[in-house]
């Protein structure tokens, strides 16, 4: 049993859908589950649609039309026959959004979000399944919501692993004996069968859950990069390919923001000792990266960049010391606002953290913190994390930068910085 995961970039248009189908056919699988994300940037579009519907900052119907036309254009390129059932199938999926838009938005924005945004995965999988069947590779469309069972924390649902595993083992495994199947990443459902989503970029995590439940031989995540690199080519001109990686290093790298795989992906695989392969859908014959339990030391230092950081410094109002009680207070405020701390440092009278600058969340967080503490903050910063750092690597990334914060542990160095003023 194998599991393949294809992200949005691998199914961004008709040509790429064909490419994915070719990869599947070339591997001539007998037992294969294919986990797919929404096409291209459709999830962003659907997020905008949700915002438009709830806050009225844009025309939700107009956005829905754009999403529909996008998929229609892809289908036109794939299916010549205008009576192909996929047209109807996809149109029916969008009807769910249309119905929602007819109602006034209720006061559960995260619930609405999940009902709307999940449609991206529903339609991408319908299109890929139809294309596989039309092009001579019989495949069955499977609804992930029958297997990935979650609580009702909409937009960030927590998976009920025991139930999920049971559903996968008793219902999905027997089906996969007979057919290869295509299912959705990113989505699940509550015990009352309401659709949930697992958090942005959650399809990798879905694929890992399916792999663990099926006790697969391997999970392959197909990406637009040749495998795991020591830095994101977006920020770094010279990158190096890492052929083998331990689960441990993979967890560390993704935790700090290496966005090659979602951070939650590794744990379910590690628990079952299932290898994870990261391979390129552009050069499917390339070696990729193999992530396993074997402790291979990272051959090169790795760099992870995060931009748009806010550095928040928190001081007791009376300039007293920061004590454990304050810290526990502060962390519970961060937790309440669902703000993830990227790095932190405390001194005698202050506590500093760097976080992603999500406008809405940070505003609420800062105002909450200010009720109890004196708060200062700087925006527009970069955070770089270097795994297996040395002075040379630090000098390299901080050239022309002003450093606002530097935190080092044995293998990891984190620096919050900005462009040197005047440059
Ligand atoms: N389509 C979802 C997103 O873009 C899930 C995923 O791609 O993993 O966040
Ligand atoms: Mg996506």
């Amino acid at each position: 049993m194998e599991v393949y995961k294809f992200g949005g970039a691998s199914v961004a248009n008709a040509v790429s859908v064909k490419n994915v189908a070719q990869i599947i056919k070339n591997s001539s699988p007998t037992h294969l589950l294919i986990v797919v994300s929404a096409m291209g940037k459709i999830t962003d579009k659907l997020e905008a649609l949700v915002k438009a519907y709830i806050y009225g900052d844009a025309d939700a119907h107009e956005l829905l039309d754009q999403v529909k036309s996008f998929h229609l254009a892809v289908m036109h390129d794939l299916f010549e026959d205008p009576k192909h059932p996929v047209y109807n199938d996809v149109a029916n999926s969008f009807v769910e959004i249309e119905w929602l838009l007819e109602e006034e938005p209720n006061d559960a924005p995260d619930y609405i979000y999940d009902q709307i945004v999940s449609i991206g995965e529903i339609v991408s999988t319908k299109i890929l399944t139809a294309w596989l069947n039309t092009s001579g590779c019989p495949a069955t469309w499977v609804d992930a919501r029958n297997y990935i069972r979650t609580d009702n924390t909409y937009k960030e649902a927590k998976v009920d692993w025991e139930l999920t595993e049971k559903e996968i083992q008793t219902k999905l495994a027997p089906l996969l004996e007979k057919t290869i199947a295509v299912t959705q990443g990113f989505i699940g459902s509550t015990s009352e069968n309401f659709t949930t989503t697992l958090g942005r970029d959650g399809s990798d995590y879905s694929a890992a859950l399916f792999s663990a439940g099926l006790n697969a031989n391997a999970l392959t995540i197909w990406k637009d990069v040749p495998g795991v690199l020591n830095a994101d080519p977006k920020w770094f001109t010279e990158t190096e390919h890492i052929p083998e990686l331990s689960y441990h290093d993979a967890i560390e790298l993704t935790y700090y923001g290496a966005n090659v795989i979602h951070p939650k992906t590794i744990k379910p695989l590690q628990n079952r000792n299932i290898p994870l392969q990261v391979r390129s859908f552009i050069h499917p014959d390339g070696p990729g990266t193999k992530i396993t339990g074997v402790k291979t030391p990272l051959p090169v230092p790795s760099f992870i960049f995060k931009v748009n950081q806010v550095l928040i410094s928190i001081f007791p109002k009376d300039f007293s010391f920061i004590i454990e009680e304050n810290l526990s207070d502060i962390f519970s405020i961060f937790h309440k606002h669902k703000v993830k701390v990227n790095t932190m440092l405390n001194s005698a009278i202050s506590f500093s953290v760097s976080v992603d600058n999500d406008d809405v969340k940070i505003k609420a967080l800062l105002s909450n913190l200010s009720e109890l503490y004196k708060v200062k903050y700087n925006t527009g910063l970069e955070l770089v994390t270097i795994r297996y750092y040395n002075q040379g690597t630090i000098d390299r990334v901080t050239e022309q930068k002003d450093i606002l914060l530097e935190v080092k542990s044995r293998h990891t160095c984190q620096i919050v910085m900005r462009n040197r003023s005047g440059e």
Side-chain angles (χ1 to χ4, degrees), residues 2 4 23-32 34 137 180:
E2 301 245 353
Y4 283 2
I23 290 176
I24 294 166
K25 290 176 200 165
N26 289 348
S27 64
S28 47
T30 39
H31 300 298
L32 178 69
I34 302 148
C137 179
I180 72 170

Side-chain angles (χ1 to χ4, degrees), residues 237-250:
T237 41
E238 281 164 46
T239 55
E240 283 180 62
H241 171 235
I242 302 173
E244 279 170 37
L245 198 59
S246 65
Y247 292 127
H248 181 94
D249 276 324

Side-chain angles (χ1 to χ4, degrees), residues 8 37-38 40 43 121 200-201:
S37 306
T43 305
E121 267 68 13
R200 284 303 307 261
D201 300 323

Side-chain angles (χ1 to χ4, degrees), residues 140-215:
T140 306
W141 184 84
V142 160
D143 193 330
R145 294 170 293 191
N146 294 334
Y147 305 100
I148 306 291
R149 308 312 299 240
T150 71
D151 69 359
N152 59 0
T153 316
Y154 293 105
K155 214 175 168 181
E156 240 3 284
K158 304 275 165 305
V159 172
D160 177 341
W161 175 238
E162 259 172 44
L163 190 55
T164 297
E165 184 178 31
K166 197 174 127 233
E167 302 280 12
I168 292 175
Q169 283 177 356
T170 56
K171 296 191 207 136
L172 185 59
L175 179 76
L176 289 168
E177 291 293 321
K178 293 180 263 168
T179 169
I180 72 170
V182 178
T183 197
Q184 308 76 38
F186 180 55
I187 71 173
S189 76
T190 67
S191 54
E192 279 148 359
N193 289 329
F194 289 116
T195 304
T196 52
T197 65
L198 308 180
R200 284 303 307 261
D201 300 323
S203 294
D204 292 349
Y205 178 45
S206 303
L209 295 170
F210 278 116
S211 305
L214 293 165
N215 208 2

